[in-house]
Amino acid sequence: MIEPTSEQWFAIVAVAIFFISAIFNILFYRISVLYIERELVKEDEGFKPLELDKGIGARGMMYNQLILFKIKKHPYVDGEAVVRIARKKDWWLAFLSFHSLWLAMIPMMVGYFLYAP
């Protein structure tokens, strides 16, 4: 049997971390962001999701940072309402998705500098 090289191990670990980060980000969006937006609609009938985000997922990271860092003033969304509506599991999902994204970026940057042509 052939043993994997260090480059192959690096690629395996980097891909695994990337997919774990993607799963956490999808879970955060599907569970927390959609819940928060439903609650915002209940509180304010005129609330509409941002037109700024046309499906690229910017709302997820925005809500993520609002929940994690307890930002009260935000130019696009009522930050106080988002922080008030967020549950404990929303905070944990925000924490996991935010930090897993940073953790996934580390092997990408290292791989770029070590193995890029």
Side-chain angles (χ1 to χ4, degrees):
M1 186 169 149
I2 301 172
E3 288 293 320
T5 65
S6 61
E7 291 175 355
Q8 291 170 336
W9 276 114
F10 180 79
I12 291 168
V13 170
V15 168
I17 291 173
F18 174 78
F19 280 115
I20 289 169
S21 174
I23 289 169
F24 281 135
N25 282 299
I26 290 169
L27 285 175
F28 177 73
Y29 185 82
R30 299 286 298 169
I31 294 171
S32 299
V33 172
L34 296 180
Y35 168 77
I36 289 169
E37 288 182 346
R38 279 193 306 268
E39 293 297 317
L40 286 172
V41 166
K42 287 180 187 176
E43 284 186 5
D44 180 17
E45 295 297 327
F47 173 78
K48 292 182 183 168
L50 291 175
E51 290 296 319
L52 172 74
D53 181 24
K54 299 278 186 186
I56 59 171
R59 286 185 312 197
M61 287 310 283
M62 180 185 60
Y63 287 132
N64 194 328
Q65 292 173 3
L66 287 172
I67 293 169
L68 269 182
F69 305 119
K70 304 213 183 306
I71 300 170
K72 302 286 186 185
K73 295 185 189 245
H74 195 273
Y76 301 117
V77 175
D78 184 10
E80 290 181 23
V82 171
V83 172
R84 184 180 66 247
I85 291 170
R87 307 166 290 187
K88 187 72 170 173
K89 71 177 168 182
D90 296 330
W91 187 89
W92 278 106
L93 285 170
F95 177 83
L96 290 172
S97 68
F98 184 78
H99 291 295
S100 69
L101 179 65
W102 283 110
L103 186 63
M105 291 176 91
I106 292 169
M108 285 187 241
M109 291 184 290
V110 169
Y112 175 76
F113 286 112
L114 289 180
Y115 302 115

